[in-house]
Amino acid sequence: IRDSNRTTRAQTHNLNLNLDYELDERNTLSFSSTVLYTPYFKYNIFNNTNITDPNGTFLSRFTADNSSRDEKYNIGSDLDYNHRFDSGADLRVNAHYTRYDYQRNQGVFSEFFDENNDFDSDSEFITTANQVTNIITSKIDYSAPLSDNSGSFDVGAKFSNIQTDSDIIKEDLIGETPVLDPLNSDAFNYNENVYAGYLNYSRSWERWDLNIGIRAEQTDVRGESVSLNTINTQNYLEWFPNISLSHDLTDDLSFKANYNRSIVRPNYTNLNPFTFFLNENTVVVGNPALLPTFIDHAVVGMSFLNYFTIEAYYKNFDGNINELPLQNNETNIISYAPVNVDKTVDYGFDFIVDFYMTDWWSIYAFTSFYNISEETFLNESFVSLSQWSNYSGFYNTLYLLDDSSLSINFNVDYASKFLSGLSFVDPLILSSLSVSKSIWNDRAVLSLSVEDLFNEQDVLWRNQYLNQFNSNFIDQDNRFVKLGFRYNFGNTRLTTNQRTSNIEERSRLKESEN
C-alpha cells in the first residue's frame, strides 16, 4: 500500500507575435510565433509504502522523498503565404518550425524499516534528463470552387521532420559521492519523416451535402538507444479515406452519416526507453517500439425539431496507446509503461438537446450509453475486458436583469463506472456553479465560481486481471471558490490578428505527468 502526497509549484511565461502584410489585394504574407518559457516547475512527492503478505500481515515499510525541478522552453513559428486567384481559388503555403528544450533534475531519498518498523537502511540517487526536439513542417493547399459554386475541390501535400535527442544519467549517492548507474543511464535519438498528400471533394445540391476524400501518408521512423545498442525502425504507407453525407428530409428533420480513418502517433517522451524512479518500487518507463494508433470511426444520426439530435457511433482502435501499470509480483515493482492495446472497440448511442426554455434561460443536455471492450496479449497471456457505461451532462445559463448583465451558469456531468486502459474507473460527478456581472458599460466583469460542489471528482481506478491486482486513488484539490475581476483597458472595439498554431506534431510534446 503506497500513500503519496504531491505538491507542485510552477512559473510560466507566454509571448505571442503576429504580423500580417498585404503584398497586394490577392497576396498576403503572415508570420506568427509563440514562446512558452517555464523557468521553474517543481514538485515534491512524499511516499510512504507498507508491504504486507497476502493475509495483510505487516512485513516492512519504506519512505521516499522525491524532489524534481524542471525547466523548459517551447518556441513555435509559422510563415504563411496566401494567394487568391481570379477564379476564386485559394493557394496556401505554410512553413513551421518548433524548438523544444526540456530538462529535469530529480533527487530521491529513501529510508527502509524492518518487520518491527525499526530503521534498517537508506539510499539516495539523482537523475538528470534532457530532451531537445526540433520539428520542421511544410505544406501546400489548393482549394478551387466548382464551376456552379455548389462545392469545392481541394488538394494538398505536407512534409514533416521530427528530430529528438534525449539522454538520462542516473547516479547513486554513496555517502556524498555520486556513482554512475550504467543500467539506468542512456541516450536516445529519434528521427521521423512523414510525407502526406490528400484529395477532397465536397458538393451541395437541393437538400443533400456530400464530402469525400482520401489522404495517404508515408512514414519513416528510426529510433536508436545508444547504451543498449538497439535500433528500432518503422516504414509504412497508410491510406485514410473519409466520407460524409447529410440530407434534409424536411425543414425539421435531417439525417447524416459519416466515416473516417485516422492516425494518432505516440508522443516523443513515451518513445524514450528511459526509467524514471518515483520510489524504490514504482517506476515510469518508455517504449521505443510503440506503434501509432489507427482509428476507424463511423456515425449515423438524425436531428429534428431544431432542438434534438440522436446518434449512433462505432469506433475501432487498432493499437490504442495506454499507459498501463504493470505489476511484477516477484520484485514488487509497478512499472507505468505505454503499450499498444491490440484492439479497443467503443460503440454507443448519444441523445442531445439544445434549446432556450425562455429568452433568458438556455439549456444544453446530453446522455450517452456506450460499451468499451479491450483485448490484448499481456505477459504472453490474453486479456479481454468489457463494460457498458453512461456519460451524461446538463449545462444551463440564466441571463438576468434587463440588460442581461448578470449571468448564472450551473453545469454537472455524471460518468458511471467505465473502462479505460484495462482499468475500471469508479463513478464520477463533475460540477460547477459560476456567477458573473458586467459593470461599467461592459468594460469590467466581476465573477464568482465554485468547483466540485458534491466532492465527487476524485478518481479511483482498479486493475484486476491475470496476476495484476492494484488500485490507485487520486485525491486532487478539485474543490475551490474563485473570485475574479477583469477590466478591459484601451479601445475595446479593436480586433486582434492573434492566431493559434494548430500543428499536429506539436501536440505530441508532452512530459510525463508522474
Side-chain angles (χ1 to χ4, degrees):
I1 300 173
R2 176 168 63 96
D3 180 43
S4 298
N5 192 323
R6 172 169 173 161
T7 303
T8 303
R9 300 176 178 87
Q11 295 176 357
T12 300
H13 308 286
N14 294 277
L15 177 66
N16 295 287
L17 173 65
N18 297 278
L19 298 173
D20 295 320
Y21 180 67
E22 293 186 0
L23 303 174
D24 53 45
E25 62 180 7
R26 296 194 179 278
N27 297 277
T28 303
L29 192 64
S30 303
F31 175 79
S32 61
S33 185
T34 300
V35 179
L36 171 65
Y37 176 52
T38 304
Y40 182 85
F41 184 92
K42 182 178 181 180
Y43 69 77
N44 294 97
I45 303 177
F46 176 77
N47 298 280
N48 183 48
T49 302
N50 289 286
I51 301 174
T52 63
D53 65 15
N55 298 318
T57 302
F58 176 84
L59 296 179
S60 62
R61 180 174 72 91
F62 71 87
T63 62
D65 291 326
N66 184 336
S67 178
S68 179
R69 175 80 179 262
D70 298 356
E71 181 179 358
K72 70 176 179 181
Y73 69 83
N74 186 341
I75 303 175
S77 301
D78 287 90
L79 182 63
D80 293 277
Y81 169 72
N82 293 342
H83 175 74
R84 171 61 65 90
F85 293 90
D86 293 337
S87 62
D90 285 307
L91 176 68
R92 300 177 299 276
V93 181
N94 169 268
H96 174 86
Y97 173 70
T98 286
R99 168 79 176 190
Y100 175 83
D101 198 322
Y102 172 73
Q103 178 178 330
R104 168 176 288 184
N105 294 301
Q106 178 194 40
V108 179
F109 175 74
S110 302
E111 292 185 321
F112 302 89
F113 302 84
D114 60 19
E115 62 275 9
N116 298 315
N117 206 21
D118 294 327
F119 175 78
D120 182 59
S121 61
D122 60 38
S123 69
E124 187 174 6
F125 65 84
I126 56 176
T127 62
T128 302
N130 301 280
Q131 179 180 343
V132 177
T133 301
N134 292 283
I135 300 173
I136 298 174
T137 70
S138 60
K139 61 181 180 179
I140 182 170
D141 301 281
Y142 177 77
S143 177
L146 301 180
S147 57
D148 58 357
N149 289 321
S150 63
S152 65
F153 175 76
D154 305 284
V155 62
K158 179 181 178 180
F159 166 76
S160 65
N161 170 257
I162 295 96
Q163 290 184 324
T164 295
D165 297 320
S166 308
D167 63 79
I168 185 171
I169 296 175
K170 179 176 180 288
E171 296 175 304
D172 296 316
L173 293 180
I174 309 301
E176 296 183 356
T177 304
V179 177
L180 178 68
D181 180 1
L183 296 179
N184 291 295
S185 301
D186 196 5
F188 182 69
N189 303 317
Y190 178 83
N191 186 79
E192 174 186 295
N193 291 318
V194 178
Y195 310 85
Y198 74 91
L199 298 170
N200 198 78
Y201 170 81
S202 62
R203 188 183 176 213
S204 299
W205 72 99
E206 297 179 353
R207 291 177 175 268
W208 294 88
D209 289 290
L210 172 68
N211 187 87
I212 186 169
I214 186 73
R215 188 177 83 256
E217 293 189 4
Q218 170 64 43
T219 302
D220 300 320
V221 171
R222 186 180 190 274
E224 179 184 5
S225 174
V226 176
S227 66
L228 299 179
N229 194 27
T230 59
I231 296 177
N232 175 66
T233 60
Q234 299 176 26
N235 298 279
Y236 53 88
L237 173 65
E238 293 288 342
W239 299 85
F240 303 95
N242 70 85
I243 182 171
S244 65
L245 182 67
S246 63
H247 177 55
D248 294 329
L249 189 62
T250 68
D251 291 340
D252 294 325
L253 180 62
S254 63
F255 295 89
K256 70 175 182 180
N258 60 68
Y259 164 80
N260 70 79
R261 185 172 189 257
S262 59
I263 183 173
V264 177
R265 293 182 170 88
N267 70 60
Y268 312 120
T269 300
N270 281 348
L271 291 166
N272 292 350
F274 300 159
T275 299
F276 290 95
F277 287 81
L278 302 184
N279 56 48
E280 297 294 335
N281 75 335
T282 307
V283 299
V284 179
V285 299
N287 182 0
L290 275 178
L291 299 173
T293 303
F294 296 96
I295 306 172
D296 293 280
H297 186 195
V299 177
V300 294
M302 61 180 293
S303 298
F304 54 95
L305 301 179
N306 296 320
Y307 305 127
F308 305 97
T309 300
I310 300 176
E311 293 181 351
Y313 73 90
Y314 174 88
K315 276 187 177 183
N316 180 78
F317 299 81
D318 183 9
N320 198 24
I321 299 172
N322 289 279
E323 186 177 68
L324 304 182
L326 304 178
Q327 176 181 316
N328 188 320
N329 294 316
E330 296 181 359
T331 63
N332 292 324
I333 292 178
I334 294 180
S335 301
Y336 290 86
V339 302
N340 291 109
V341 175
D342 295 337
K343 185 179 181 63
T344 301
V345 175
D346 176 6
Y347 63 89
F349 306 91
D350 299 334
F351 305 89
I352 304 168
V353 58
D354 185 5
F355 69 102
Y356 273 82
M357 288 286 292
T358 67
D359 291 339
W360 47 270
W361 184 11
S362 67
I363 290 179
Y364 176 82
F366 68 89
T367 186
S368 177
F369 297 93
Y370 62 97
N371 178 274
I372 293 180
S373 60
E374 296 178 322
E375 299 177 354
T376 194
F377 278 91
L378 192 64
N379 297 332
E380 300 181 353
S381 298
F382 182 68
V383 179
S384 178
L385 300 172
S386 180
Q387 176 69 43
W388 274 100
S389 304
N390 172 251
Y391 186 74
S392 300
F394 177 76
Y395 312 97
N396 68 123
T397 303
L398 281 73
Y399 301 95
L400 306 178
L401 304 183
D402 292 339
D403 57 358
S404 299
S405 62
L406 178 64
S407 63
I408 301 175
N409 292 273
F410 173 68
N411 304 323
V412 61
D413 292 90
Y414 168 75
S416 68
K417 178 182 177 181
F418 63 94
L419 176 65
S420 176
L422 302 184
S423 299
F424 288 100
V425 184
D426 277 13
L428 299 169
I429 298 177
L430 291 74
S431 55
S432 66
L433 174 66
S434 64
V435 180
S436 63
K437 176 68 171 71
S438 298
I439 57 177
W440 302 336
N441 295 322
D442 293 334
R443 296 186 70 94
V445 177
L446 279 170
S447 62
L448 175 68
S449 62
V450 184
E451 298 289 333
D452 195 9
L453 300 170
F454 308 110
N455 196 25
E456 294 291 339
Q457 289 185 200
D458 297 320
V459 181
L460 173 61
W461 56 257
R462 314 169 193 268
N463 291 285
Q464 190 169 4
Y465 52 85
L466 303 179
N467 62 348
Q468 305 289 302
F469 185 23
N470 53 75
S471 62
N472 193 355
F473 179 66
I474 303 174
D475 185 4
Q476 296 180 322
D477 293 330
N478 298 317
R479 308 192 79 191
F480 60 84
V481 177
K482 181 168 63 176
L483 179 64
F485 175 75
R486 185 179 75 245
Y487 182 79
N488 296 318
F489 292 91
N491 190 345
T492 58
R493 293 187 297 272
L494 292 177
T495 59
T496 177
N497 65 344
Q498 181 174 337
R499 294 176 294 273
T500 301
S501 180
N502 186 24
I503 302 298
E504 175 189 352
E505 289 77 10
R506 281 178 59 84
S507 66
R508 298 162 61 194
L509 291 168
K510 297 179 180 179
E511 300 91 38
S512 173
E513 296 293 332
N514 298 285

